Amino acid sequence: MWPQYDKNPYVIKIDFGFDEAESSGSIVATDLDGDGLMDYLVTSPGNIGAYSHYGKRLWWLQTDIQVSQSSETYGLPGIHAPGVQAGDIDGDGKIEAVFLTKDGFLNVVTGVTGKIKLRKKLPAPDEAERWEHVIIANLRGKGDRDLILQATNREGYRMGKFLAAYAADKLDGKPLWQTGQYLGCAHTGARIADIDGDGRDEVVGATIIDHDGTIKRIVDVQGHLDSIFVKDIRPDIPGLEIVALEEGGPQRVFLFNKERLLWESHHKHQEPQNAAVGEFDLKRGGLEIWCRSRYDEHQKPFVFDARGNVIADYEMDKVAPEGWTTKGVEEIWTIDWTGEPKQLAAAKERHKSGDVCIFDPITGKFIKRFKEKADRLYVADVSGDWREEIIVCSGREIHIYHNPSANPNPKRERLWTQNHYRRSKMTWNYYSP
């Protein structure tokens, strides 16, 4: 049991904030100082700051960190992506923070002090402007001791098709593998997870890249992918599955694993755009896939079951509380809030620094509304029991909300023990929380 915050919300002051019109940078949670409690890394253009669990500033660097707006125009890592990773990449038992700067240099700093341990420029592909995104991975089965660098093509519609994997302790040598054939999301960086349970990560997308660089094309996309999620959607099938959402063409939702496409489906060929994947309907086997829909106003969400059947659809205007924006919701996270088997979703008001809500994805019913001025929304287990907290970046503050009700299932294992949970909380952005 971690201690629960003694205030709700618990407020942490930070040294910089977010411009409402600026969509670069965000937040991740990790244990930077080794005390067993989750700390916070926050980024915005020109800034990266580290804050302890209770709000003490560990360090603040004013540096030109590689964060971006739309990746298809400005390069990776994309809207609301943190642009920073954290892990023990050198095996010394202490956490490092890893990020790129806009001059193309890879930067490794100590997690507890921010002191620079390494600053190195690695050769980027000729078609790329520079390396734009870095991910800590376990490719060799040695733990988080590998790095994956990613870049987009410098001209035209920018896609992050270039990847190179390195052993973190052999950055002067040849990469473990490299490719210009990765097909992931058009709006976000590569996603990774150990989807086959062999103790090593794969890069997931319409193409799946195994730990050794072997590439397999699974999904035939018309247009491009907007979002990717990795979870155990079908417990009856070994390993984890990938949900991918298509923009353009038939506007499909795909479910596939490392070996094959399990199904593709659509709802009246409406663009799904964003999703939340979770245990939303206990009467059905597997997880459900809630799709937000594309509409700039008056969103019309729809929900698939684990076998591709549409099981719900509704109009957001009819379920949202009075005063909620007609533009709907954004930054949608599946959340373990109650401790019950049924999960919910958390989101913020779309296209504004607005309120935050928890809602039932099947019915759209709003369960709870938090009056806020949320610039960023992040969901993770950071205090108390294994249930997740709502973490809001609002101006120069972090607001952390916990569920004060008793947990009906207090002995469940922490979510951080799951590989795909840890990876998703570190590599998220607006399109793929």
Side-chain angles (χ1 to χ4, degrees):
M1 297 290 286
W2 294 347
Q4 185 59 272
Y5 282 120
D6 58 5
K7 296 180 180 179
N8 200 7
Y10 191 83
V11 177
I12 293 174
K13 303 286 186 180
I14 60 177
D15 296 282
F16 52 91
F18 301 89
D19 184 331
E20 188 168 353
E22 172 63 66
S23 57
S24 302
S26 60
I27 185 170
V28 294
T30 189
D31 181 10
L32 292 168
D33 56 14
D35 66 357
L37 302 176
M38 302 305 282
D39 309 309
Y40 306 97
L41 282 167
V42 187
T43 64
S44 75
N47 298 282
I48 175 170
Y51 301 88
S52 76
H53 183 76
Y54 293 109
K56 177 185 176 182
R57 183 216 289 168
L58 299 175
W59 47 270
W60 171 29
L61 300 179
Q62 292 176 285
T63 186
D64 205 8
I65 183 173
Q66 177 67 32
V67 289
S68 67
Q69 300 187 55
S70 61
S71 62
E72 64 270 27
T73 302
Y74 300 102
L76 295 167
I79 295 174
H80 294 190
V84 63
Q85 301 272 291
D88 179 13
I89 67 168
D90 58 10
D92 66 353
K94 299 178 181 179
I95 296 296
E96 288 80 41
V98 183
F99 58 93
L100 291 161
T101 41
K102 290 187 181 296
D103 56 9
F105 277 79
L106 175 70
N107 300 264
V108 179
V109 303
T110 59
V112 70
T113 67
K115 181 180 178 181
I116 293 177
K117 298 182 72 171
L118 174 72
R119 180 169 160 81
K120 185 176 183 61
K121 192 168 189 177
L122 296 170
D126 291 340
E127 294 179 54
E129 186 175 357
R130 59 182 177 271
W131 291 119
E132 303 161 352
H133 186 43
V134 60
I135 301 170
I136 294 175
N138 176 8
L139 300 174
R140 296 171 295 157
K142 297 183 177 181
D144 291 351
R145 307 289 299 278
D146 306 307
L147 301 175
I148 299 173
L149 296 171
Q150 186 178 17
T152 60
N153 44 290
R154 65 158 62 89
E155 296 181 355
Y157 192 94
R158 299 174 72 152
M159 294 281 287
K161 61 183 180 179
F162 302 107
L163 296 176
Y166 285 87
D169 59 347
K170 295 181 180 179
L171 295 176
D172 290 324
K174 292 182 179 180
L176 300 171
W177 51 260
Q178 56 187 341
T179 182
Q181 303 300 315
Y182 172 64
L183 180 58
C185 288
H187 311 300
T188 185
R191 305 303 294 268
I192 67 167
D194 177 14
I195 60 175
D196 60 4
D198 69 350
R200 294 171 291 192
D201 292 316
E202 289 81 36
V203 182
V204 299
T207 51
I208 292 179
I209 305 177
D210 212 339
H211 65 274
D212 61 359
T214 303
I215 301 175
K216 186 173 184 178
R217 178 71 174 266
I218 303 293
V219 175
D220 182 19
V221 180
Q222 299 179 36
H224 61 252
L225 298 180
D226 269 350
S227 303
I228 291 178
F229 304 84
V230 180
K231 292 191 177 183
D232 190 8
I233 293 98
R234 290 279 298 272
D236 58 314
I237 298 174
L240 303 179
E241 291 78 41
I242 300 111
V243 173
L245 277 53
E246 180 182 57
E247 177 181 346
Q251 316 272 32
R252 295 166 291 180
V253 174
F254 302 98
L255 184 71
F256 55 101
N257 60 17
K258 187 176 179 180
E259 303 302 326
R260 61 188 176 93
L261 175 67
L262 299 174
W263 54 258
E264 61 180 64
S265 190
H266 67 85
H267 180 49
K268 301 177 182 178
H269 296 292
Q270 296 178 95
E271 183 185 330
Q273 195 173 60
N274 297 97
V277 181
E279 184 59 272
F280 303 140
D281 187 342
L282 300 180
K283 299 187 300 293
R284 299 175 185 273
L287 304 185
E288 288 70 48
I289 303 160
W290 176 93
C291 300
R292 187 187 73 175
S293 78
R294 170 63 181 265
Y295 303 99
D296 291 336
E297 291 188 317
H298 317 302
Q299 291 169 350
K300 300 177 181 180
F302 45 93
V303 186
F304 295 94
D305 68 12
R307 285 164 174 76
N309 303 302
V310 177
I311 60 172
D313 67 311
Y314 48 88
E315 297 178 28
M316 185 63 75
D317 288 353
K318 293 183 178 180
V319 295
E322 182 178 356
W324 193 270
T325 175
T326 58
K327 294 180 179 179
V329 295
E330 65 180 0
E331 246 176 34
I332 309 104
W333 296 84
T334 300
I335 185 169
D336 277 293
W337 180 255
T338 66
E340 300 283 356
K342 179 181 170 68
Q343 296 176 300
L344 300 169
K348 64 181 288 293
E349 287 193 276
R350 190 179 182 203
H351 292 176
K352 64 183 295 187
S353 297
D355 291 349
V356 170
C357 70
I358 297 174
F359 69 96
D360 182 340
I362 298 295
T363 65
K365 179 182 178 181
F366 277 52
I367 307 298
K368 191 171 182 62
R369 181 177 183 176
F370 304 87
K371 296 297 292 182
E372 265 292 353
K373 294 182 179 180
D375 298 311
R376 302 289 185 271
L377 176 64
Y378 184 66
V379 167
D381 169 21
V382 296
S383 70
D385 51 46
W386 62 269
R387 293 177 298 180
E388 294 177 295
E389 281 66 50
I390 288 176
I391 302 160
V392 174
C393 293
S394 178
R396 295 192 172 200
E397 294 181 345
I398 302 170
H399 302 165
I400 305 164
Y401 295 87
H402 68 266
N403 187 346
S405 301
N407 187 345
N409 184 20
K411 294 184 180 180
R412 181 174 166 178
E413 197 173 39
R414 298 213 87 94
L415 301 172
W416 293 101
T417 62
Q418 303 171 18
N419 165 275
H420 65 279
Y421 185 86
R422 297 194 305 273
R423 297 311 191 203
S424 68
K425 297 304 176 184
M426 195 63 67
T427 60
W428 76 279
N429 86 350
Y430 179 97
Y431 283 89
S432 300

